Amino acid sequence: MSSKSTSEKPNYSALADIYDLVMADVDYETWADYIDEIILEHNPETSDILELACGTGTIALSLEELDCYTITATDGSAQMVQKAIEKGERVHSEIEFLTMDFLDIRLQKTFDVVFMVFDSINYLHTEDEIIQLHAQVKNILKPGGIFIYDFTTPRNSRKAIQFLNNDQKEINGQTRYFRESTFDAKNRIHTNYFRIIKDSALNRGKEEVFEEKHHQKIYTHKEMLSIIKKTDFTILQAYDGFELRPAHERSLRITMVLQ
Ligand SMILES: C[S@@+](CC[C@H](N)C(=O)[O-])C[C@H]1O[C@@H](n2cnc3c(N)ncnc32)[C@H](O)[C@@H]1O
């Protein structure tokens, strides 16, 4: 007889196991090339890079293939970092992967570039937290160093829910997931609810269900500019999507380059 147990998990703990499969359609190689392009444009002498919120390390590992940079990569989720370490070991990577909250960065080194991608900053819900992140990054940047990150806009959330809501996939014979994606336009909160179902034969027919609820605060371009004004950074550029052209009011994703 089969039975079921359901447990709510911290963000990116249960999801870590299937994260790369959930993100299978994301073109991380192009994303890494885009970060490299920005570096070449704004700080071409870069050698030391820190990635924050690196997840399972895909972009860091892709950047390492360019053979130009010494890379440290951190994430707040120990489970995501563990996946990154395992992927790194498989390709004999020299990247140092560490578990670290980006609001409490503890590193002895300084860097030419600090970057974080894929709307990781949208996990910060208050202006104070965003200012704190910038202050943390400033402490570990070399003089003239740059901070690159992207955020998604309300327009993106309105579009994204159309294909993310009710997304479901069978990962392998034993694991499947279901995602509900909603956008509260008034409070500008984008919620992704993941339900991960593991039905392992080894588990004597017992179905295990893990739930994660991710809330992201969605900022407008104008809001982000006004927050950045309160930090010690100046804006070198705000780019539209994955292009090297300026962001505009219809941009879905904006990549900030700050010094
Ligand atoms: C959308 S994922 C992006 C991961 C990776 N950058 C990628 O492109 O696949 C967001 C990541 O932000 C991390 N994260 C969220 N809040 C964090 C925090 N306060 N400190 C460090 N990492 C955090 C999560 O653990 C997660 O790996």
Side-chain angles (χ1 to χ4, degrees):
M1 201 169 58
S2 72
S3 61
K4 187 158 97 175
S5 75
T6 302
S7 51
E8 195 162 328
K9 292 285 181 188
N11 287 354
Y12 297 102
S13 55
L15 192 58
D17 264 346
I18 59 166
Y19 183 81
D20 286 351
L21 293 159
V22 175
M23 299 300 163
D25 294 337
V26 177
D27 187 351
Y28 280 111
E29 222 161 279
T30 299
W31 211 329
D33 288 344
Y34 180 55
I35 295 297
D36 183 49
E37 257 188 284
I38 293 177
I39 294 171
L40 293 176
E41 178 78 20
H42 293 282
N43 201 6
E45 300 302 315
T46 290
S47 66
D48 294 312
I49 294 186
L50 170 66
E51 181 179 5
L52 302 175
C54 69
T56 58
T58 311
I59 290 202
L61 289 163
S62 196
L63 271 178
E64 187 182 40
E65 285 175 15
L66 302 175
D67 256 345
C68 305
Y69 306 120
T70 303
I71 304 172
T72 305
T74 69
D75 193 276
S77 155
Q79 292 85 351
M80 295 289 270
V81 171
Q82 184 52 36
K83 293 286 166 198
I85 291 171
E86 288 164 13
K87 283 158 69 177
E89 280 170 357
R90 286 201 286 275
V91 295
H92 308 289
S93 166
E94 291 183 4
I95 296 173
E96 187 176 17
F97 287 108
L98 301 166
T99 303
M100 196 174 294
D101 186 338
F102 55 49
L103 292 180
D104 186 19
I105 301 172
R106 291 161 193 246
L107 292 168
Q108 300 308 321
K109 246 182 112 167
T110 54
F111 301 88
D112 303 291
V113 169
V114 176
F115 79 94
M116 56 193 266
V117 298
F118 214 164
D119 40 84
S120 300
I121 200 166
N122 292 97
Y123 279 90
L124 297 180
H125 284 244
T126 65
E127 175 176 303
D128 283 353
E129 284 177 326
I130 295 182
I131 292 172
Q132 186 182 339
L133 168 70
H134 284 75
Q136 292 282 308
V137 170
K138 184 172 178 273
N139 283 340
I140 41 128
L141 271 180
K142 292 181 189 174
I146 60 172
F147 182 24
I148 306 166
Y149 61 86
D150 64 69
F151 62 97
T152 61
T153 63
R155 191 178 157 76
N156 187 59
S157 281
R158 281 193 292 272
K159 272 196 144 179
I161 53 170
Q162 292 167 30
F163 57 87
L164 292 183
N165 193 31
N166 293 329
D167 164 41
Q168 50 190 316
K169 219 181 263 168
E170 174 115 14
I171 299 286
N172 53 43
Q174 291 160 2
T175 307
R176 59 193 194 281
Y177 78 87
F178 169 76
R179 166 166 37 187
E180 216 174 77
S181 191
T182 55
F183 181 49
D184 169 355
K186 183 163 170 270
N187 296 304
R188 279 196 267 109
I189 302 292
H190 193 138
T191 300
N192 281 296
Y193 161 73
F194 291 93
R195 194 173 162 80
I196 300 156
I197 301 130
K198 292 189 178 181
D199 185 10
S200 161
L202 298 171
N203 220 3
R204 296 168 196 272
K206 189 175 168 207
E207 198 178 77
E208 285 182 292
V209 181
F210 302 98
E211 297 175 322
E212 292 190 18
K213 216 172 217 184
H214 298 207
H215 299 290
Q216 286 174 287
K217 173 82 181 172
I218 306 304
Y219 298 93
T220 62
H221 189 188
K222 210 168 145 195
E223 268 173 338
M224 201 53 99
L225 294 180
S226 115
I227 299 174
I228 294 166
K229 266 197 186 147
K230 299 177 187 166
T231 73
D232 290 329
F233 283 90
T234 42
I235 298 172
L236 297 182
Q237 204 42 273
Y239 287 123
D240 172 41
F242 297 96
E243 306 291 335
L244 289 182
R245 63 169 183 237
H248 49 79
E249 62 195 26
R250 293 168 67 79
S251 294
L252 300 174
R253 179 179 302 279
I254 297 176
T255 298
M256 305 299 310
V257 186
L258 311 182
Q259 192 164 45

